[in-house]
């Protein structure tokens, strides 16, 4: 016997029931992809409330997507820009925890039927499910890319993932933002079953029914040759975290807080009850969400997205040669841009407001260049040539002779608008792309 939801159907989340198996279908019709937005979470809460009280005959649940090639692409990054304090970020994380706890505590098997990308908050939703089935479609990718935004997984991913696949495999995903296809995900125990897209819903419904009847086990498959009990021995656990920390430090030199904080949260939380471990995650997420690094990386995300969709960019457009570059803002992001550009043979003029900020940014950029060059065993005279490509200033002198200007100042709308005007006055016409609620300057082409 089957029935559909005869109530006012939500726009993004619909519920149908067939022979005791409920299917939750996610489809945000006003968006190209599904994201864990505030509205979608509210609709999910309404559906869970119905399953908690109004549908006692439901034996299992399947969660599917109505989007082609997308299960859930992650959280709504637009909402990250509304975070004004660590407390705001912590509340956002706790809201995710509460939603997924209610789902997990329904007392019936929940099957995530994944076809397409399940990233960030999408994968965290899947981790809260009893069983995960993914398709062998090339579009199906699973991962936790939060460190690319300067934060950590905030809806339970930092704690549920290592409990499911082991510490080493979890850290590999969390610290690198690596995305796995379905077969590699199954190999580490992240996915229980891989099927063709055409049979996903039937396979998921069958799994939910068998899990409810007790004829199928929800025990996750463990990686071959790497039992989790061995990872949990104090000596092995200490070795894993020590090597992971060394890897992070070698790549970031401690200037990028998110992966280091992710390590701390996983290490401190792995031996705690899940509820207590999630408290650690929420606090860390809140604190990281307001760091300059996170603000800059979110700025970069929107700028990149805007550049890709710019109506002024013609399909046959070709890039020009850049010999001289100016970077306004000598913080972490500006210094990194200067170093990467110098490695490509570009002369960089790095500007900030005070001589102290300029000196710090110049030192950071040159130290990065020296370390990378020595690692590649480049001779000292070449290292000197590299570092000489980056010069610093607290004035706008020389900007008219540059080929490109990149703005990398602190994430403050009023500050950015003021800096844009200063750059325009110092360097002439510039191309400006708008993103989110502020105008984000990308470059001025000579």
């Amino acid at each position: 016997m089957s029935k559909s939801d005869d109530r006012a159907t939500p726009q993004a989340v619909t519920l149908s029931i067939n022979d005791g198996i409920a299917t939750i279908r996610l489809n945000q019709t006003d968006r190209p992809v599904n994201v864990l937005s505030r509205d979608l979470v509210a609709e999910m809460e309404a559906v869970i409330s119905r399953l908690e009280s109004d549908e006692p005959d439901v034996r299992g649940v399947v969660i599917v997507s109505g989007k082609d090639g997308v299960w859930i692409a992650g959280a709504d990054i637009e909402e990250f820009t509304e975070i004004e304090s660590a407390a705001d970020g912590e509340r956002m994380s706790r809201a995710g925890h509460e939603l997924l706890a209610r789902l997990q505590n329904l007392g019936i098997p929940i099957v995530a039927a994944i076809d397409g990308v399940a990233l960030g908050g999408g994968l965290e939703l899947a981790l809260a499910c009893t069983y995960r089935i993914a398709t062998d479609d090339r579009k199906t990718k699973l991962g936790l890319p939060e460190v690319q935004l300067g934060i950590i997984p905030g809806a339970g991913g930092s704690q549920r993932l290592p409990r499911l696949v082991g510490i080493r495999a979890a850290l590999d995903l969390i610290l690198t933002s690596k995305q796995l296809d379905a077969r590699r995900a199954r190999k580490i125990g992240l996915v229980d079953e891989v099927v063709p897209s055409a049979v996903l819903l039937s396979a998921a419904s069958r799994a939910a029914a068998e899990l409810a009847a007790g004829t199928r086990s929800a025990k996750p498959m463990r990686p071959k040759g790497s039992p989790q009990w061995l990872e949990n021995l104090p000596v092995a656990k200490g070795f894993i975290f020590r090597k992971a920390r060394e890897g992070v430090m070698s790549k970031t030199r401690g200037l990028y807080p998110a992966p280091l904080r992710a390590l701390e949260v996983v290490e401190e939380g792995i031996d705690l009850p899940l509820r207590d471990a999630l408290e650690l995650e929420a606090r860390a997420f809140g604190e990281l969400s307001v760091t300059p690094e996170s603000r800059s990386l979110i700025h970069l995300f929107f700028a990149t997205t805007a550049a890709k969709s710019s109506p002024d960019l013609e399909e046959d457009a070709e890039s020009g040669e850049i010999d001289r570059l100016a970077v306004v803002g000598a913080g972490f992001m500006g210094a990194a841009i200067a170093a990467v550009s110098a490695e490509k043979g570009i002369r960089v003029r790095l500007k900030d407001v005070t001589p102290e900020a300029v000196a710090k940014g110049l030192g950071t950029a040159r130290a990065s260049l020296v370390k990378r060059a020595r690692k590649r065993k480049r001779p000292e005279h070449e290292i000197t040539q590299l570092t000489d490509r980056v010069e610093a200033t607290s004035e706008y002198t020389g900007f008219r002779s540059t080929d490109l200007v990149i703005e990398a100042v602190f994430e403050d709308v009023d500050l950015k608008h003021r800096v844009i005007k200063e750059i325009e006055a110092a360097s002439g016409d510039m191309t400006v792309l708008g993103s989110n609620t502020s105008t984000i300057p990308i470059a001025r082409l000579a």
Side-chain angles (χ1 to χ4, degrees), residues 97-119:
H97 293 166
E98 291 169 7
L99 173 72
L100 299 188
R102 288 183 63 193
L103 183 71
Q104 200 167 29
N105 294 333
L106 282 173
I108 54 178
I110 314 293
V111 178
I114 303 168
D115 186 28
V117 295
L119 302 176

Side-chain angles (χ1 to χ4, degrees), residues 326-384:
V327 180
V328 180
F332 174 79
M333 183 67 68
I337 293 171
V340 170
S341 302
E343 284 188 315
K344 299 298 183 181
I346 300 171
R347 297 194 65 84
V348 183
R349 196 161 178 78
L350 186 60
K351 185 205 177 292
D352 214 304
V353 177
T354 66
E356 293 79 12
V358 167
K360 184 177 180 180
L362 180 63
T364 299
R366 288 183 171 177
S368 176
L369 287 167
V370 169
K371 182 175 181 179
R372 291 166 64 89
R374 286 180 177 162
K375 187 176 181 180
R376 296 171 183 172
K377 302 187 184 306
R378 299 183 70 167
E380 288 299 318
H381 74 276
E382 289 188 11
I383 295 176
T384 300

Side-chain angles (χ1 to χ4, degrees), residues 67-85:
K67 299 285 189 185
D68 181 33
V70 178
W71 198 64
I72 300 176
D76 185 354
I77 299 177
E78 291 276 359
E79 293 180 4
F80 288 178
T81 64
E82 301 172 12
I83 297 175
E84 296 181 353
S85 67

Side-chain angles (χ1 to χ4, degrees), residues 129-419:
C129 295
T130 315
Y131 198 82
R132 286 155 293 281
I133 301 179
T135 69
D136 57 8
D137 190 280
R138 61 182 180 82
K139 293 181 181 178
T140 299
K141 301 289 182 182
L142 298 90
L144 294 173
E146 283 84 355
V147 296
Q148 291 184 342
L149 295 177
I151 54 177
I152 65 170
S158 72
Q159 302 305 318
R160 287 192 175 94
L161 185 61
R163 284 164 168 75
L164 179 67
V165 304
I167 299 170
R168 184 166 53 182
L171 290 177
D172 187 41
L173 287 177
I174 294 170
L175 300 179
T176 67
S177 297
K178 182 184 298 182
Q179 297 180 16
L180 303 180
D181 60 28
R183 296 194 184 282
R184 287 190 297 163
R186 186 172 188 271
K187 187 176 181 180
I188 68 168
L190 178 55
V191 164
D192 299 284
E193 190 176 345
V194 179
V195 301
S197 298
V199 300
L200 175 63
L201 185 55
S202 61
S205 299
R206 182 171 61 253
E210 292 176 359
L211 287 164
T215 57
R216 182 184 298 223
S217 173
K219 184 178 180 180
M221 184 181 111
R222 300 302 183 194
K224 293 182 179 179
S226 180
Q228 286 193 36
W229 66 265
L230 180 61
E231 287 190 351
N232 287 328
L233 293 176
V235 173
K237 189 187 301 182
F239 175 79
I240 291 171
F241 284 111
R242 185 169 63 253
K243 295 300 290 184
R245 187 167 286 101
E246 290 173 0
V248 170
M249 291 300 294
S250 71
K251 293 179 180 178
T252 69
R253 294 178 291 115
L255 298 174
Y256 189 36
L260 287 173
R261 194 65 190 276
L263 265 174
E264 292 175 6
V265 169
V266 174
E267 187 171 13
E268 293 177 23
I270 191 67
D271 294 322
L272 296 176
L274 181 60
R275 179 187 295 272
D276 296 336
L278 292 177
E279 289 293 314
L280 296 176
E281 180 186 86
R283 285 196 296 271
F285 180 90
E287 292 166 7
L288 288 169
S289 67
V290 292
T291 59
E293 292 82 5
S294 178
R295 300 291 195 188
S296 295
L297 289 168
I298 289 172
H299 163 93
L300 182 61
F301 170 84
F302 285 122
T304 303
T305 302
K308 290 178 180 177
S309 59
S310 173
D312 297 327
L313 187 64
E314 299 177 2
E315 291 185 5
D316 59 349
E318 297 182 2
S319 60
E321 292 294 327
I322 304 298
D323 296 317
R324 296 183 64 85
L325 167 71
V327 180
V328 180
F332 174 79
M333 183 67 68
I337 293 171
V340 170
S341 302
E343 284 188 315
K344 299 298 183 181
I346 300 171
R347 297 194 65 84
V348 183
R349 196 161 178 78
L350 186 60
K351 185 205 177 292
D352 214 304
V353 177
T354 66
E356 293 79 12
V358 167
K360 184 177 180 180
L362 180 63
T364 299
R366 288 183 171 177
S368 176
L369 287 167
V370 169
K371 182 175 181 179
R372 291 166 64 89
R374 286 180 177 162
K375 187 176 181 180
R376 296 171 183 172
K377 302 187 184 306
R378 299 183 70 167
E380 288 299 318
H381 74 276
E382 289 188 11
I383 295 176
T384 300
Q385 290 175 345
L386 267 175
T387 57
D388 284 348
R389 287 178 190 150
V390 183
E391 57 186 23
T393 179
S394 57
E395 305 292 338
Y396 281 104
T397 55
F399 269 50
R400 286 189 179 273
S401 63
T402 61
D403 302 307
L404 186 73
V405 177
I406 297 178
E407 173 271 308
V409 300
F410 184 71
E411 201 64 20
D412 179 275
V413 174
D414 292 336
L415 173 62
K416 287 181 178 295
H417 287 174
R418 186 169 70 252
V419 169

